[in-house]
Amino acid sequence: MTGTGHEGVDESGARRRQRGSARIEAPRAGPGQALIRVRAAGICGTDLHIYHDEFKTVPPVVMGHEVAGDVVAAGPDADTPLRHA
């Protein structure tokens, strides 16, 4: 089997993705940006194609880019409605 090195085969022969973690710095809202605490995320058709190795990607890939959440910080020059957070 070829792939990205992030997949494997379980006892039944089904392909399974391996999951991992990495340490990253806490995000900050930059100029004109908002920091959002994600409460829910959805996946799109492209995400499904990536998961099934039907779309070439280079890890790391963050899927679930359709989000809903709370604004927890607003950077300088962010739109006024975000400032109440």
Side-chain angles (χ1 to χ4, degrees):
M1 175 172 55
T2 62
T4 62
H6 293 275
E7 57 207 25
V9 177
D10 68 13
E11 301 82 32
S12 69
R15 285 176 26 153
R16 299 284 182 220
R17 298 254 176 186
Q18 297 175 356
R19 299 178 206 268
S21 63
R23 290 189 177 271
I24 60 170
E25 291 184 32
R28 296 182 186 167
Q33 297 178 335
L35 179 62
I36 300 172
R37 176 180 292 120
V38 176
R39 299 291 185 172
I43 60 171
C44 67
T46 301
D47 293 336
L48 293 173
H49 289 294
I50 291 169
Y51 181 79
H52 292 290
D53 289 328
E54 298 167 345
F55 186 82
K56 183 172 173 61
T57 58
V58 178
V61 175
V62 178
M63 295 191 284
H65 57 267
E66 298 168 359
V67 300
D70 305 313
V71 175
V72 295
D77 301 322
D79 289 341
T80 305
L82 299 177
R83 290 240 165 250
H84 74 278

